[in-house]
Amino acid sequence: YCPVRRGPGNRVLFLVNRRNLVHDFAKRLNGLGIEHGVIMGNDPRRRPDLSTHVASIDTLHRRSNVPPADLLVIDETRFAVSPTWASVLAQYPHAKILGLDATPIRTDGRGLGEIYEYMVAGPSVDSLIDKGFLVPSRVYAPPGAPDTSAVKRTGGDMNQKALAEICDRAKLTGDIVEHWQRLASDRKTVFFGVNLQHAQHVAEAFRCAGTNFAYVDADTPDDERDRIWNDFDNGSLRGIASCGVISFGWDRPICGCVIMGRPTDSLSVHMQQIGRGTRPYSGKS
């Protein structure tokens, strides 16, 4: 499918679009015993002498000199047709490209054929559940859900500002906490809000109800994120509220409840956010 000459001269570049994905890929390569460098801002793990690197697309986009590569591996590849990605990929006219994505669907309906020649379909969700790679979901939808029929569409999804005016209300926030206390208070939980303010309000509502709940966004420093992730995995933190920063590429299998506080028309967004709770974990059925 993607033949690359074997040998010590092969150079591989993993390209990702978020710093948490850079850290995740580096961690996975470490686990496989693959020496690699990291290219992201002032990250100290730069190793220009190595043939394998994990790079932030934003960092490469800002640089005039990019590292050589024979194979590009692009994670969350539905984003790779944007101008930022295109400018970087144009500097690798002879490299093979392998794109990875659980949901290769863009909200704007744009295809990926301008980058790729072939699509290799992976197993279905049902198949992954049957084989034990994912857990089945129990889905609850309370009556009286907000009416979003009048919300205009922007970029293939509901307009965020208009949607927040409907969803970020005290009554709905209280209902979220009440239903969670009744249905899933024994489970580590993530909440996805319409926007940052909505996610903050829900996190605060949980805390006021006596539940240890954190809030994370793109500006949360790495050391604080690490503390939150560790407390979520091993400590007393019951939940995390966010808008989009943990929607994909966030791998905490202990998560056993996902609260979809953001209505969406995007199948990709919906599947990615639900996916945060479907990873197998000890004692999680």
Side-chain angles (χ1 to χ4, degrees), residues 5 12 47 61 72-73 130 160 166 185 195 216 230 268:
R5 172 178 50 84
V12 181
R47 290 289 304 275
H61 178 63
L72 305 179
V73 181
D130 290 341
Q160 189 181 80
I166 293 174
S185 62
N195 58 16
V216 177
N230 184 66
S268 177

Side-chain angles (χ1 to χ4, degrees), residues 2-278:
C2 190
V4 175
R5 172 178 50 84
R6 291 184 178 273
N10 289 336
R11 296 158 298 187
V12 181
L13 183 61
F14 293 89
L15 293 174
V16 297
N17 66 339
R18 287 187 176 179
R19 70 178 190 265
N20 63 304
L21 292 177
V22 172
H23 297 318
D24 184 64
F25 260 85
K27 180 180 178 181
R28 292 175 187 275
L29 290 175
N30 284 333
L32 294 169
I34 298 175
E35 281 195 298
H36 62 280
V38 171
I39 304 172
M40 179 175 62
N42 296 320
D43 194 291
R45 293 172 290 180
R46 293 187 65 232
R47 290 289 304 275
D49 56 305
L50 297 179
S51 60
T52 301
H53 301 274
V54 180
S56 160
I57 191 69
D58 291 328
T59 297
L60 290 191
H61 178 63
R62 291 192 294 266
R63 296 185 178 181
S64 56
N65 295 321
V66 296
D70 302 297
L71 172 65
L72 305 179
V73 181
I74 302 176
D75 193 35
E76 308 294 348
T77 199
R78 62 190 177 280
F79 298 112
V81 296
S82 71
T84 296
W85 282 88
S87 67
V88 174
L89 296 182
Q91 300 186 65
Y92 295 96
H94 304 298
K96 300 290 185 180
I97 301 177
L98 176 63
L100 310 174
D101 207 317
T103 55
I105 314 160
R106 291 179 56 86
T107 56
D108 60 6
R110 189 174 175 183
L112 303 177
E114 56 201 83
I115 299 176
Y116 300 104
E117 298 176 73
Y118 308 99
M119 177 180 285
V120 180
S124 67
V125 171
D126 285 344
S127 174
L128 291 171
I129 290 174
D130 290 341
K131 291 178 171 60
F133 293 108
L134 297 177
V135 295
S137 300
R138 182 180 294 118
V139 183
Y140 296 92
D147 181 7
T148 61
S149 59
V151 176
K152 294 182 179 180
R153 270 54 182 171
T154 304
D157 204 351
M158 300 184 207
N159 179 271
Q160 189 181 80
K161 182 178 180 181
L163 190 61
E165 291 176 357
I166 293 174
C167 295
D168 191 8
R169 297 180 179 181
K171 175 65 168 64
L172 290 177
T173 299
D175 286 347
I176 287 170
V177 175
E178 179 183 340
H179 289 310
W180 179 85
Q181 290 172 329
R182 179 171 57 87
L183 298 169
S185 62
D186 59 332
R187 293 171 177 257
K188 295 295 180 100
T189 299
V190 293
F191 169 84
F192 292 105
V194 175
N195 58 16
L196 304 184
Q197 189 177 45
H198 184 208
Q200 289 174 320
H201 289 166
V202 171
E204 181 62 22
F206 272 101
R207 289 192 291 268
C208 289
T211 300
N212 189 4
F213 228 85
Y215 166 78
V216 177
D217 62 27
D219 294 327
T220 304
D222 283 346
D223 56 350
E224 184 177 350
R225 288 192 192 195
D226 290 342
R227 178 185 59 77
I228 291 172
W229 303 160
N230 184 66
D231 195 15
F232 188 73
D233 286 342
N234 307 301
S236 62
L237 185 63
R238 299 304 299 168
I240 300 171
S242 185
C243 178
V245 75
I246 60 174
S247 291
F248 58 88
W250 185 78
D251 188 17
R252 323 310 301 188
I254 196 173
C255 175
C257 174
V258 177
I259 303 175
M260 305 291 287
R262 170 195 173 176
T264 178
D265 286 337
S266 168
L267 178 61
S268 177
V269 170
H270 185 71
M271 294 293 290
Q272 288 283 351
Q273 292 185 346
I274 285 178
R276 299 316 101 199
T278 61

